[in-house]
Amino acid sequence: MSAAQTDIRPDTAVRANPARDTWNVLTRELKPVVRDPFTLIFSLVQPLVFLGLFAPLLVGSSGQPVGETLQWFVPGVLVMIVLFGTGATGSNLQYEMMTGSHERTLVAPLARSSLLVGRALKEIAPIVVQALIIVLIAWPFGFTINVAGLVIGLALLAVFGIGLGSLSYTLALKTKDREWLFWGVQQTLIFPLLILSGMLLPLDEGPAWMQAVATVNPINWVVQAERALFAGDLGAMTVLWGWIAAVALAVVGLLVGIRAMRKSS
Amino acid sequence: MTNEPIIEARGLTKRFTVKKKTVEAVTDLTFQVARGELVAFLGPNGAGKSTSLRMLTTLIPPTSGTARVVGYDILRAPSDVRARIGYVGQLTSGSFSQRVRDELLSQGAFYGMSASAARTRADELIASLDLAPFATRSVQQLSGGQKRRLDIALGLMHAPPLIFLDEPSTGLDPQSRANLWQHIMDLRERYGTTVFLTTHYLEEADRYAERVMVMDKGRVIADDTAARLKANLAGDVLTFGFDSAADAERAVAVVATLTDREVRRDDAEVALTAPDGDELLPAAVRALDAAGIRVRRATGVPPTLDDVFLALTGRTLREAGEGEPTEEEETDAAADPTAAHTADAAAAVPAEKTGASR
């Protein structure tokens, strides 16, 4: 057989390598964003709406100075972007599952985890840009930030996003081509999680049962950790709890996600 | 190494559970494919073709049995198999939001190609599959035929020694289909790739495949070249027309001396089905002339693979495909009421069940 002689035959003995595969999945996912950066503009709108339309109300009702309110509110907005971005990302996979695109990646020699992690990280990359813009906008209004805290905070958001994104993909893998089911479950879960994280309004004034539920909401811990980090309180216990919550979510998300991915064909 | 079959399936069986009922989509599939062959799985929708392909490409594990593909066991070393095969599924492989060339480059990276090797290879495939005019367009903007050519390019990106194509030409207009086949034949000639495909288009299997495996209800019921299948199982249909039924009656005896096949008479017509009909036809006309019987009309119709399928199963391919769910409907197997009570349909539903990919 003269097959090999006419052609470049690459190393066909390639093996699954989670780190390299994740990088390759991530760069593939980012290509449409790079090709059409305009898509990012719209994803900026939502946080800006909250910053422009919600923060003034918060300032008014709390009676606190603007700078202090933003100090409390901005970290929550960043967590919210991640919540909405990675929480909805399963629908992209659902779309790829309805075409043959997902199936093609399953036949490729890729580590199954990379198909989840690479995709979830793709939602994080624009968030870094969004975070910097939001921080810059809030700056003139008296919002200050600890640079080390911001960097660690973004890393924490990435871990949190991988966990949430993996769960979103799991939901997509389970609901298959039933988009209504995916969105139904997603919307049913995301708003209680959002409100019970104390991200938009403080929970201190809420009833005891709400506070009790909020203590087991990992997003609540991530929000509190972000606030401490942005304020420069890097060694706070809440930071540790935030990391524990995010890592736990990522581990659970990846475990169920990889299982669902293996069963998905 | 080169003498080892590139595919060696041993007792591959796949059972699915649909509504608590177990149905066998593929039963005891055992066959070998040598390097460089072009093999087609032919059968109606729901015959188990796609399920077989999905097992061979490691997408789903067999219930029992196993296979060696490009030298590796699909169960014990699935990633070794994946690294060495190309697969083009039934649906569009490219992500709609991605650009054509970007998808090819990503595919190269997935298979461990260096960036420069991937660029060279992508441009080569873009040229040979006529994708150049829309290489920077997004997949969404491509026509059906263009999408399919991209699918083929993606499957060939890492120059696999073996490529699986699941219904590569379904849904294409005749011209795009002919065009696609030209590409497949060209690439095969150039790279010596072993091609294993499924189709329910008879003409396609007939015209292009060197070897046809006829599949029905989860089993391979025939495996040979199209020409031999037709000669052995179907044969040409020869029809002779005469002036009167009496002439026809005399002709039966004359024609019967030339063949061991059954010669039938219907009024003033005589018909028979036989291999080598193209030789038998003039011989019969000469013999009838010599016997003083005037032949008014003589026709010889070569067989199609549909005749082969009819001879094997008693149904035509079209009949066999009717009333069974098409490949687009399968995922909702559990919700499909026809799946529950008709045995054939129930067998067909999971046969092509693709799980998450739909």
Side-chain angles (χ1 to χ4, degrees):
Chain A
M1 184 98 277
S2 60
Q5 296 156 14
T6 46
D7 190 35
I8 38 143
R9 200 159 286 269
D11 175 24
T12 45
V14 64
R15 298 213 138 255
N17 172 331
R20 186 199 60 217
D21 296 345
T22 299
W23 174 252
N24 285 332
V25 171
L26 171 64
T27 49
R28 168 177 179 240
E29 294 284 331
L30 283 175
K31 276 174 186 170
V33 183
V34 174
R35 295 297 187 194
D36 197 1
F38 201 68
T39 51
L40 273 184
I41 308 250
F42 287 105
S43 63
L44 267 179
V45 172
Q46 195 207 20
L48 291 182
V49 165
F50 274 89
L51 211 57
L53 299 181
F54 197 85
L57 296 178
L58 208 57
V59 173
S61 66
S62 69
Q64 303 261 5
V66 179
E68 228 160 281
T69 309
L70 285 176
Q71 212 69 44
W72 182 87
F73 187 58
V74 169
V77 171
L78 293 183
V79 178
M80 191 175 70
I81 311 175
V82 178
L83 183 66
F84 279 108
T86 58
T89 189
S91 88
N92 299 329
L93 178 62
Q94 209 169 25
Y95 199 60
E96 297 219 334
M97 281 158 58
M98 284 185 251
T99 68
S101 181
H102 170 62
E103 191 179 77
R104 169 167 64 91
T105 58
L106 288 178
V107 184
L110 295 169
R112 270 37 189 161
S113 59
S114 74
L115 293 170
L116 292 169
V117 180
R119 282 198 174 91
L121 283 176
K122 164 249 189 172
E123 301 296 329
I124 304 298
I127 282 164
V128 174
V129 180
Q130 291 170 340
L132 294 177
I133 291 174
I134 287 162
V135 166
L136 279 177
I137 290 172
W139 200 293
F141 298 96
F143 173 73
T144 56
I145 192 155
N146 178 298
V147 176
L150 176 67
V151 172
I152 299 171
L154 287 174
L156 176 60
L157 283 181
V159 174
F160 170 65
I162 289 171
L164 201 65
S166 297
L167 291 175
S168 183
Y169 291 128
T170 309
L171 181 60
L173 290 163
K174 295 285 178 196
T175 53
K176 296 180 181 173
D177 56 352
R178 288 160 295 181
E179 282 176 273
W180 57 270
L181 188 57
F182 174 84
W183 288 114
V185 174
Q186 198 259 2
Q187 297 287 305
T188 306
L189 291 174
I190 208 158
F191 283 101
L193 285 172
L194 173 79
I195 295 164
L196 290 170
S197 70
M199 167 187 312
L200 295 174
L201 290 168
L203 292 165
D204 313 335
E205 309 292 320
W209 67 265
M210 267 182 105
Q211 296 186 21
V213 177
T215 50
V216 292
N217 180 2
I219 303 172
N220 178 24
W221 292 103
V222 173
V223 172
Q224 291 195 34
E226 292 293 337
R227 285 189 187 128
L229 285 167
F230 281 30
D233 193 1
L234 306 186
M237 269 310 278
T238 49
V239 174
L240 180 65
W241 282 112
W243 275 104
I244 290 172
V247 169
L249 193 72
V251 169
V252 172
L254 285 174
L255 283 179
V256 298
I258 292 169
R259 249 177 73 118
M261 190 67 87
R262 288 220 171 98
K263 285 188 173 177
S264 75
S265 47
Chain B
M1 180 69 188
T2 31
N3 293 329
E4 191 193 356
I6 199 156
I7 304 175
E8 191 179 4
R10 289 187 304 272
L12 273 186
T13 299
K14 184 68 186 179
R15 279 188 286 273
F16 289 109
T17 306
V18 179
K19 281 202 166 177
K20 292 178 189 163
K21 277 181 70 178
T22 303
V23 280
E24 212 157 87
V26 174
T27 305
D28 194 24
L29 193 61
T30 301
F31 68 92
Q32 295 190 348
V33 173
R35 273 170 200 272
E37 272 193 285
L38 198 168
V39 185
F41 253 152
L42 174 72
N45 287 338
K49 309 185 298 285
S50 291
T51 305
S52 306
L53 228 60
R54 297 173 71 75
M55 286 192 278
L56 293 171
T57 53
T58 77
L59 276 167
I60 50 172
T63 308
S64 63
T66 189
R68 281 175 77 79
V69 176
V70 203
Y72 292 89
D73 191 288
I74 55 168
L75 287 173
R76 270 174 293 165
S79 51
D80 284 305
V81 174
R82 288 184 197 126
R84 291 166 176 82
I85 59 168
Y87 171 68
V88 177
Q90 282 180 24
L91 302 169
T92 305
S93 301
S95 175
F96 279 25
S97 58
Q98 298 273 354
R99 291 186 182 185
V100 168
R101 191 164 184 270
D102 284 348
E103 273 296 61
L104 287 169
L105 297 179
S106 299
Q107 180 82 342
F110 287 174
Y111 285 86
M113 294 170 76
S114 72
S116 67
R119 276 196 298 272
T120 308
R121 176 70 175 162
D123 291 336
E124 191 182 307
L125 287 168
I126 284 169
S128 61
L129 283 158
D130 293 335
L131 291 165
F134 24 85
T136 57
R137 260 189 238 167
S138 68
V139 174
Q140 205 158 16
Q141 294 168 291
L142 304 185
S143 74
Q146 292 163 352
K147 281 197 190 92
R148 215 56 187 137
R149 296 213 296 278
L150 171 62
D151 296 343
I152 308 276
L154 286 165
L156 289 168
M157 186 64 196
H158 54 294
L162 167 66
I163 186 163
F164 292 93
L165 305 163
D166 198 357
E167 313 238 334
S169 58
T170 298
L172 295 184
D173 58 84
Q175 202 186 336
S176 304
R177 205 192 295 171
N179 184 271
L180 180 74
W181 269 104
Q182 194 53 51
H183 285 302
I184 294 175
M185 304 305 277
D186 284 354
L187 292 164
R188 179 169 172 256
E189 199 164 303
R190 195 170 333 154
Y191 304 121
T193 313
T194 308
V195 180
F196 193 100
L197 61 100
T198 72
T199 182
H200 58 242
Y201 290 125
L202 299 155
E203 319 80 49
E204 220 168 71
D206 201 347
R207 185 155 168 207
Y208 301 106
E210 290 160 356
R211 175 177 164 198
V212 178
M213 295 170 76
V214 183
M215 204 164 184
D216 187 42
K217 295 179 182 171
R219 288 174 188 275
V220 170
I221 52 176
D223 178 358
D224 211 330
T225 65
R228 274 201 294 266
L229 284 175
K230 287 186 291 191
N232 296 344
L233 292 162
D236 305 273
V237 177
L238 305 184
T239 313
F240 304 91
F242 301 94
D243 287 321
S244 65
D247 275 3
E249 191 59 56
R250 283 170 56 215
V252 170
V254 175
V255 177
T257 59
L258 302 172
T259 176
D260 52 359
R261 301 291 168 120
E262 186 204 357
V263 183
R264 306 175 295 270
R265 184 184 69 86
D266 181 18
D267 197 29
E269 279 199 350
V270 168
L272 76 151
T273 307
D276 307 322
D278 46 355
E279 289 171 17
L280 187 57
L281 183 67
V285 172
R286 279 196 301 273
L288 288 163
D289 251 359
I293 306 167
R294 195 164 94 96
V295 181
R296 285 186 64 88
R297 290 178 305 275
T299 53
V301 179
T304 65
L305 284 175
D306 207 16
D307 299 321
V308 171
F309 194 79
L310 181 67
L312 285 166
T313 67
R315 287 131 61 230
T316 65
L317 261 178
R318 191 171 295 114
E319 284 166 0
E322 264 169 23
E324 301 189 27
T326 63
E327 271 115 18
E328 270 69 43
E329 295 166 33
E330 307 129 353
T331 349
D332 279 319
D336 183 356
T338 60
H341 51 260
T342 64
D344 280 4
V349 170
E352 310 281 351
K353 182 167 171 143
T354 50
S357 61
R358 294 297 137 80

